[in-house]
Each structure stands twice: as C-alpha cells, then as structure tokens.
Amino acid sequence: MIEYIKGELAELTPAMATVEAAGVGYGLNISLNTYTAIQNKKEVKLYVFESIREDAHVLYGFVSKKEREMFELLITVSGVGTNTARMMLSSMSVSELCSAISRGDERLIKGIKGIGKMTAQRIIVDLRDKIVALGIADEIPAGGTMSAPVNNAVRDEAVSALTMLGFSPAPTQKVVVAILTEQPDLPVEQVVKLALKQIK
C-alpha cells in the first residue's frame, strides 16, 4: 500500500498531478482543493488512496490526511463513487463539507454536481457521527455549526447563474467564494461579472 508520494511536481492540471519520485512519474487524480494548495510548488507530498479494479489501477492524491480521510468516508456511502467524492471535495473544503454534514444541510450537499436528494440524505445519515468520531471535524465548534465566511444566498445565486451560462459548478463555486471572501457585501450581479473575468 502506498501511504504518500513525495517528489518533484512534474505536471499539474486542476484534475491531475504528476509527481516524479525516484525516476518514476506517478499520475494522481486530485481535487480542486489540492490543486489550489500545491499550485506553485516544485516539491510536493501527496497522501495516496489506491483504487484497484479489474480494469484499472488508479491513484488519488490529497494534500492532507484529513482530505483523504473525508474521501475514504464519502466512498463508503451507497451511491458515492470515487469521482463523485472527488467532485464533492472540489466543490467544498473538508471543513465546509463537515459543517454541511453536521448541520444536516441537505440543500447544500445536493447542490454539488452528481448528488441527488437521496444520496445527500444518505451522506448526512451515514457520516454525521463518523466525522466527529474520526476527528475530521475538529475545526467545527461543538454545536455543529460554523460561521459562514460568505453570504450563502448570494453565493448560491451567483453559482446558479454561472452554471446556467454553461460553466461547471465546482470551479465556479471556488471563484465565487474567493470573490465573496474578499468583498462580502457585493450584490449578485457584481459577483457574476467578476467571476466571468476569472473563470478559465
């Protein structure tokens, strides 16, 4: 079993990192959170999850153990595969996801591409106690809530508008959250205009 890979970051896209270690280039599927964290680094250390199937041997890389633990928990839920779990970790940080699960925020979880109502409910029911037991939710106060750093109504409306314009939800949400973190009082239309300039 591979615990982690440490080496030179040879290639990087928002979905894949190639890390060269001891002359071997390892292709690791990554989330947008990991992509953002390692973007400008030459040397990286990524924690590994191995998905071994009959037709493929796929590696997933994570910038932290907590992100990997969250990924491993998500794929235990019926209806959540590795690609869906990666999409979830691209749409939200581990702490945001833990907060949504602990609050039972079905609407927020359902807003992630590929997650339907039943799956969102299963994720909440199956994982609510586990995230606390494993200590993944350390950063969440005992009450199970977290102060929202951005205006959720504006964020949701902006992401919805941009999605309707044809942009994919995960990177769109990242850009919108970044804009609202810096300028929390912006109205929806301003957020959308700024996001249009930033989304690749």
Side-chain angles (χ1 to χ4, degrees):
M1 178 184 148
I2 302 171
E3 172 62 14
Y4 63 81
I5 293 173
K6 185 178 181 182
E8 184 187 334
L9 185 58
E11 289 177 31
L12 181 66
T13 70
M16 172 81 72
T18 302
V19 181
E20 186 178 327
V24 179
Y26 296 91
L28 300 123
N29 289 287
I30 57 170
S31 70
L32 278 175
N33 284 319
T34 291
Y35 171 74
T36 304
I38 66 174
Q39 217 170 355
N40 297 312
K41 296 191 174 174
K42 285 185 177 151
E43 294 271 324
V44 294
K45 176 181 178 181
L46 293 178
Y47 294 93
V48 174
F49 173 84
E50 295 176 81
S51 173
I52 300 170
R53 304 191 307 261
E54 282 180 25
D55 59 339
H57 184 173
V58 184
L59 301 178
Y60 291 84
F62 305 92
V63 74
S64 68
K65 280 188 175 180
K66 280 197 173 179
E67 191 186 21
R68 181 175 66 181
E69 283 172 9
M70 191 75 225
F71 178 87
E72 289 173 342
L73 276 182
L74 287 168
I75 61 175
T76 65
V77 178
S78 174
V80 178
T82 50
N83 284 332
T84 303
R86 181 168 67 151
M87 174 66 79
M88 292 183 76
L89 288 166
S90 291
S91 301
M92 296 185 205
S93 68
V94 174
S95 59
E96 286 166 342
L97 200 47
C98 284
S99 178
I101 292 167
S102 62
R103 286 199 318 266
D105 194 337
E106 181 193 311
R107 191 180 65 82
L108 192 61
I109 295 168
K110 204 174 68 179
I112 299 168
K113 189 180 178 184
I115 303 289
K117 184 176 181 179
M118 295 292 288
T119 305
Q121 289 171 345
R122 272 200 300 268
I123 288 166
I124 290 164
V125 170
D126 290 3
L127 302 187
R128 195 179 245 164
D129 294 334
K130 290 180 183 173
I131 57 173
V132 176
L134 275 173
I136 299 176
D138 286 346
E139 56 268 71
I140 299 171
T145 56
M146 238 170 122
S147 58
V150 298
N151 183 326
N152 286 339
V154 172
R155 181 198 65 197
D156 291 351
E157 215 176 315
V159 171
S160 173
L162 289 157
T163 304
M164 282 191 281
L165 288 170
F167 295 99
S168 56
T172 299
Q173 176 144 319
K174 282 264 179 219
V175 170
V176 168
V177 168
I179 290 167
L180 284 169
T181 304
E182 284 181 23
Q183 304 177 69
D185 300 323
L186 281 183
V188 174
E189 60 272 22
Q190 285 295 108
V191 173
V192 171
K193 278 182 187 172
L194 283 173
L196 284 170
K197 291 176 187 170
Q198 292 180 33
I199 298 172
K200 300 288 183 282

